[in-house]
PDB file of all heavy atoms in Angstrom:
ATOM      1  N   ASP A 250    -106.652  91.475 -66.516  1.00 98.00           N
ATOM      2  CA  ASP A 250    -106.644  90.445 -67.572  1.00 98.00           C
ATOM      3  C   ASP A 250    -105.915  91.008 -68.744  1.00 98.00           C
ATOM      4  O   ASP A 250    -106.367  91.779 -69.549  1.00 98.00           O
ATOM      5  CB  ASP A 250    -108.208  90.181 -68.013  1.00 98.00           C
ATOM      6  CG  ASP A 250    -108.329  89.109 -69.088  1.00 98.00           C
ATOM      7  OD1 ASP A 250    -107.307  88.836 -69.758  1.00 98.00           O
ATOM      8  OD2 ASP A 250    -109.483  88.749 -69.293  1.00 98.00           O
ATOM      9  N   VAL A 251    -104.529  90.614 -68.764  1.00 98.00           N
ATOM     10  CA  VAL A 251    -103.569  91.328 -69.578  1.00 98.00           C
ATOM     11  C   VAL A 251    -104.051  91.058 -71.072  1.00 98.00           C
ATOM     12  O   VAL A 251    -104.016  91.834 -71.963  1.00 98.00           O
ATOM     13  CB  VAL A 251    -102.204  90.901 -69.417  1.00 98.00           C
ATOM     14  CG1 VAL A 251    -101.249  91.231 -70.472  1.00 98.00           C
ATOM     15  CG2 VAL A 251    -101.789  91.512 -68.007  1.00 98.00           C
ATOM     16  N   ALA A 252    -104.578  89.770 -71.395  1.00 97.00           N
ATOM     17  CA  ALA A 252    -104.902  89.437 -72.731  1.00 97.00           C
ATOM     18  C   ALA A 252    -105.989  90.372 -73.283  1.00 97.00           C
ATOM     19  O   ALA A 252    -106.064  90.696 -74.415  1.00 97.00           O
ATOM     20  CB  ALA A 252    -105.379  87.973 -72.807  1.00 97.00           C
ATOM     21  N   ALA A 253    -106.840  90.856 -72.358  1.00 98.00           N
ATOM     22  CA  ALA A 253    -108.087  91.586 -72.776  1.00 98.00           C
ATOM     23  C   ALA A 253    -107.637  93.086 -72.902  1.00 98.00           C
ATOM     24  O   ALA A 253    -108.441  93.770 -73.538  1.00 98.00           O
ATOM     25  CB  ALA A 253    -109.196  91.519 -71.670  1.00 98.00           C
ATOM     26  N   LEU A 254    -106.428  93.573 -72.567  1.00 98.00           N
ATOM     27  CA  LEU A 254    -106.078  94.875 -72.644  1.00 98.00           C
ATOM     28  C   LEU A 254    -105.626  95.311 -74.049  1.00 98.00           C
ATOM     29  O   LEU A 254    -105.651  96.471 -74.417  1.00 98.00           O
ATOM     30  CB  LEU A 254    -104.992  95.230 -71.575  1.00 98.00           C
ATOM     31  CG  LEU A 254    -105.383  95.110 -70.117  1.00 98.00           C
ATOM     32  CD1 LEU A 254    -104.161  95.355 -69.213  1.00 98.00           C
ATOM     33  CD2 LEU A 254    -106.467  96.069 -69.795  1.00 98.00           C
ATOM     34  N   GLY A 255    -105.104  94.286 -74.764  1.00 98.00           N
ATOM     35  CA  GLY A 255    -104.704  94.605 -76.099  1.00 98.00           C
ATOM     36  C   GLY A 255    -103.370  95.270 -76.205  1.00 98.00           C
ATOM     37  O   GLY A 255    -103.001  95.934 -77.263  1.00 98.00           O
ATOM     38  N   CYS A 256    -102.539  95.267 -75.128  1.00 98.00           N
ATOM     39  CA  CYS A 256    -101.213  95.837 -75.252  1.00 98.00           C
ATOM     40  C   CYS A 256    -100.214  94.920 -75.841  1.00 98.00           C
ATOM     41  O   CYS A 256    -100.473  93.674 -76.132  1.00 98.00           O
ATOM     42  CB  CYS A 256    -100.795  96.372 -73.762  1.00 98.00           C
ATOM     43  SG  CYS A 256    -100.722  94.982 -72.647  1.00 98.00           S
ATOM     44  N   ASP A 257     -98.966  95.367 -76.008  1.00 98.00           N
ATOM     45  CA  ASP A 257     -97.947  94.542 -76.590  1.00 98.00           C
ATOM     46  C   ASP A 257     -97.054  94.058 -75.478  1.00 98.00           C
ATOM     47  O   ASP A 257     -96.391  92.915 -75.567  1.00 98.00           O
ATOM     48  CB  ASP A 257     -97.119  95.308 -77.697  1.00 98.00           C
ATOM     49  CG  ASP A 257     -98.101  95.514 -78.850  1.00 98.00           C
ATOM     50  OD1 ASP A 257     -98.602  94.621 -79.423  1.00 98.00           O
ATOM     51  OD2 ASP A 257     -98.296  96.799 -79.141  1.00 98.00           O
ATOM     52  N   PHE A 258     -96.767  94.934 -74.529  1.00 99.00           N
ATOM     53  CA  PHE A 258     -95.942  94.501 -73.293  1.00 99.00           C
ATOM     54  C   PHE A 258     -96.581  95.024 -72.025  1.00 99.00           C
ATOM     55  O   PHE A 258     -97.231  96.014 -72.077  1.00 99.00           O
ATOM     56  CB  PHE A 258     -94.531  95.138 -73.346  1.00 99.00           C
ATOM     57  CG  PHE A 258     -93.710  94.793 -74.497  1.00 99.00           C
ATOM     58  CD1 PHE A 258     -93.580  95.460 -75.745  1.00 99.00           C
ATOM     59  CD2 PHE A 258     -92.949  93.509 -74.448  1.00 99.00           C
ATOM     60  CE1 PHE A 258     -92.760  95.049 -76.736  1.00 99.00           C
ATOM     61  CE2 PHE A 258     -92.198  93.170 -75.545  1.00 99.00           C
ATOM     62  CZ  PHE A 258     -92.057  93.958 -76.657  1.00 99.00           C
ATOM     63  N   TYR A 259     -96.511  94.263 -71.030  1.00 99.00           N
ATOM     64  CA  TYR A 259     -97.129  94.497 -69.724  1.00 99.00           C
ATOM     65  C   TYR A 259     -96.038  94.313 -68.465  1.00 99.00           C
ATOM     66  O   TYR A 259     -95.628  93.178 -68.447  1.00 99.00           O
ATOM     67  CB  TYR A 259     -98.469  93.817 -69.473  1.00 99.00           C
ATOM     68  CG  TYR A 259     -99.240  94.380 -68.355  1.00 99.00           C
ATOM     69  CD1 TYR A 259    -100.196  95.334 -68.603  1.00 99.00           C
ATOM     70  CD2 TYR A 259     -99.016  94.134 -67.006  1.00 99.00           C
ATOM     71  CE1 TYR A 259    -100.956  95.923 -67.601  1.00 99.00           C
ATOM     72  CE2 TYR A 259     -99.731  94.607 -66.031  1.00 99.00           C
ATOM     73  CZ  TYR A 259    -100.770  95.547 -66.350  1.00 99.00           C
ATOM     74  OH  TYR A 259    -101.543  96.103 -65.330  1.00 99.00           O
ATOM     75  N   ALA A 260     -95.685  95.257 -67.910  1.00 98.00           N
ATOM     76  CA  ALA A 260     -94.595  95.081 -66.787  1.00 98.00           C
ATOM     77  C   ALA A 260     -95.265  95.191 -65.440  1.00 98.00           C
ATOM     78  O   ALA A 260     -96.186  95.970 -65.192  1.00 98.00           O
ATOM     79  CB  ALA A 260     -93.547  96.184 -66.906  1.00 98.00           C
ATOM     80  N   PHE A 261     -94.718  94.378 -64.515  1.00 98.00           N
ATOM     81  CA  PHE A 261     -95.271  94.467 -63.102  1.00 98.00           C
ATOM     82  C   PHE A 261     -94.281  94.103 -62.085  1.00 98.00           C
ATOM     83  O   PHE A 261     -93.244  93.471 -62.544  1.00 98.00           O
ATOM     84  CB  PHE A 261     -96.466  93.600 -62.964  1.00 98.00           C
ATOM     85  CG  PHE A 261     -96.215  92.117 -63.102  1.00 98.00           C
ATOM     86  CD1 PHE A 261     -96.160  91.302 -61.921  1.00 98.00           C
ATOM     87  CD2 PHE A 261     -96.045  91.487 -64.296  1.00 98.00           C
ATOM     88  CE1 PHE A 261     -95.732  89.939 -61.991  1.00 98.00           C
ATOM     89  CE2 PHE A 261     -95.766  90.085 -64.426  1.00 98.00           C
ATOM     90  CZ  PHE A 261     -95.713  89.322 -63.285  1.00 98.00           C
ATOM     91  N   THR A 262     -94.502  94.427 -60.862  1.00 98.00           N
ATOM     92  CA  THR A 262     -93.566  94.252 -59.762  1.00 98.00           C
ATOM     93  C   THR A 262     -94.067  93.330 -58.794  1.00 98.00           C
ATOM     94  O   THR A 262     -95.331  93.440 -58.337  1.00 98.00           O
ATOM     95  CB  THR A 262     -93.176  95.674 -59.288  1.00 98.00           C
ATOM     96  OG1 THR A 262     -92.183  96.249 -59.984  1.00 98.00           O
ATOM     97  CG2 THR A 262     -92.884  95.663 -57.871  1.00 98.00           C
ATOM     98  N   GLY A 263     -93.325  92.396 -58.217  1.00 98.00           N
ATOM     99  CA  GLY A 263     -93.853  91.525 -57.258  1.00 98.00           C
ATOM    100  C   GLY A 263     -94.122  92.042 -55.892  1.00 98.00           C
ATOM    101  O   GLY A 263     -95.046  91.638 -55.136  1.00 98.00           O
ATOM    102  N   HIS A 264     -93.129  92.943 -55.454  1.00 98.00           N
ATOM    103  CA  HIS A 264     -93.148  93.393 -54.006  1.00 98.00           C
ATOM    104  C   HIS A 264     -94.273  94.265 -53.725  1.00 98.00           C
ATOM    105  O   HIS A 264     -94.684  94.530 -52.586  1.00 98.00           O
ATOM    106  CB  HIS A 264     -91.894  94.010 -53.592  1.00 98.00           C
ATOM    107  CG  HIS A 264     -91.610  95.320 -54.309  1.00 98.00           C
ATOM    108  ND1 HIS A 264     -91.973  96.566 -53.861  1.00 98.00           N
ATOM    109  CD2 HIS A 264     -90.914  95.651 -55.451  1.00 98.00           C
ATOM    110  CE1 HIS A 264     -91.603  97.464 -54.729  1.00 98.00           C
ATOM    111  NE2 HIS A 264     -90.876  96.965 -55.713  1.00 98.00           N
ATOM    112  N   LYS A 265     -95.051  94.807 -54.692  1.00 98.00           N
ATOM    113  CA  LYS A 265     -96.276  95.584 -54.327  1.00 98.00           C
ATOM    114  C   LYS A 265     -97.483  94.785 -54.309  1.00 98.00           C
ATOM    115  O   LYS A 265     -98.655  95.214 -53.958  1.00 98.00           O
ATOM    116  CB  LYS A 265     -96.395  96.634 -55.500  1.00 98.00           C
ATOM    117  CG  LYS A 265     -95.319  97.649 -55.488  1.00 98.00           C
ATOM    118  CD  LYS A 265     -95.557  98.827 -56.563  1.00 98.00           C
ATOM    119  CE  LYS A 265     -94.299  99.471 -57.025  1.00 98.00           C
ATOM    120  NZ  LYS A 265     -93.711 100.389 -56.062  1.00 98.00           N
ATOM    121  N   MET A 266     -97.317  93.469 -54.810  1.00 98.00           N
ATOM    122  CA  MET A 266     -98.537  92.568 -54.791  1.00 98.00           C
ATOM    123  C   MET A 266     -98.381  91.389 -53.805  1.00 98.00           C
ATOM    124  O   MET A 266     -98.577  90.191 -54.181  1.00 98.00           O
ATOM    125  CB  MET A 266     -98.807  92.029 -56.119  1.00 98.00           C
ATOM    126  CG  MET A 266     -97.691  91.419 -56.919  1.00 98.00           C
ATOM    127  SD  MET A 266     -98.019  90.748 -58.438  1.00 98.00           S
ATOM    128  CE  MET A 266     -98.765  89.251 -58.118  1.00 98.00           C
ATOM    129  N   CYS A 267     -97.886  91.756 -52.560  1.00 98.00           N
ATOM    130  CA  CYS A 267     -97.718  90.798 -51.548  1.00 98.00           C
ATOM    131  C   CYS A 267     -96.464  89.782 -51.638  1.00 98.00           C
ATOM    132  O   CYS A 267     -96.389  88.948 -50.863  1.00 98.00           O
ATOM    133  CB  CYS A 267     -99.010  89.915 -51.230  1.00 98.00           C
ATOM    134  SG  CYS A 267    -100.394  90.975 -50.768  1.00 98.00           S
ATOM    135  N   GLY A 268     -95.732  90.003 -52.792  1.00 98.00           N
ATOM    136  CA  GLY A 268     -94.649  89.186 -53.016  1.00 98.00           C
ATOM    137  C   GLY A 268     -93.296  89.798 -52.455  1.00 98.00           C
ATOM    138  O   GLY A 268     -93.251  90.893 -51.932  1.00 98.00           O
ATOM    139  N   PRO A 269     -92.230  89.006 -52.539  1.00 98.00           N
ATOM    140  CA  PRO A 269     -90.904  89.403 -52.134  1.00 98.00           C
ATOM    141  C   PRO A 269     -90.350  90.568 -53.040  1.00 98.00           C
ATOM    142  O   PRO A 269     -90.653  90.611 -54.167  1.00 98.00           O
ATOM    143  CB  PRO A 269     -90.013  88.193 -52.049  1.00 98.00           C
ATOM    144  CG  PRO A 269     -90.964  87.071 -52.149  1.00 98.00           C
ATOM    145  CD  PRO A 269     -92.228  87.470 -52.787  1.00 98.00           C
ATOM    146  N   THR A 270     -89.381  91.276 -52.411  1.00 98.00           N
ATOM    147  CA  THR A 270     -88.713  92.137 -53.252  1.00 98.00           C
ATOM    148  C   THR A 270     -87.807  91.575 -54.299  1.00 98.00           C
ATOM    149  O   THR A 270     -87.381  90.411 -54.133  1.00 98.00           O
ATOM    150  CB  THR A 270     -87.801  93.243 -52.405  1.00 98.00           C
ATOM    151  OG1 THR A 270     -87.000  92.395 -51.529  1.00 98.00           O
ATOM    152  CG2 THR A 270     -88.582  94.153 -51.611  1.00 98.00           C
ATOM    153  N   GLY A 271     -87.491  92.193 -55.308  1.00 98.00           N
ATOM    154  CA  GLY A 271     -86.641  91.666 -56.355  1.00 98.00           C
ATOM    155  C   GLY A 271     -87.323  90.625 -57.290  1.00 98.00           C
ATOM    156  O   GLY A 271     -86.760  89.639 -57.777  1.00 98.00           O
ATOM    157  N   THR A 272     -88.674  90.724 -57.305  1.00 98.00           N
ATOM    158  CA  THR A 272     -89.493  89.801 -58.195  1.00 98.00           C
ATOM    159  C   THR A 272     -90.400  90.612 -59.034  1.00 98.00           C
ATOM    160  O   THR A 272     -90.712  91.798 -58.743  1.00 98.00           O
ATOM    161  CB  THR A 272     -90.284  88.863 -57.357  1.00 98.00           C
ATOM    162  OG1 THR A 272     -91.349  89.550 -56.582  1.00 98.00           O
ATOM    163  CG2 THR A 272     -89.461  87.986 -56.408  1.00 98.00           C
ATOM    164  N   GLY A 273     -90.822  89.958 -60.068  1.00 98.00           N
ATOM    165  CA  GLY A 273     -91.830  90.608 -61.008  1.00 98.00           C
ATOM    166  C   GLY A 273     -91.683  90.047 -62.362  1.00 98.00           C
ATOM    167  O   GLY A 273     -91.141  88.926 -62.529  1.00 98.00           O
ATOM    168  N   GLY A 274     -92.181  90.706 -63.305  1.00 98.00           N
ATOM    169  CA  GLY A 274     -92.212  90.103 -64.636  1.00 98.00           C
ATOM    170  C   GLY A 274     -92.569  91.088 -65.783  1.00 98.00           C
ATOM    171  O   GLY A 274     -92.964  92.242 -65.638  1.00 98.00           O
TER     172      GLY A 274
END
Side-chain angles (χ1 to χ4, degrees):
D250 179 343
V251 173
L254 294 176
C256 58
D257 293 302
F258 294 101
Y259 195 93
F261 67 99
T262 271
H264 66 89
K265 296 184 202 285
M266 52 175 283
C267 298
T270 49
T272 65

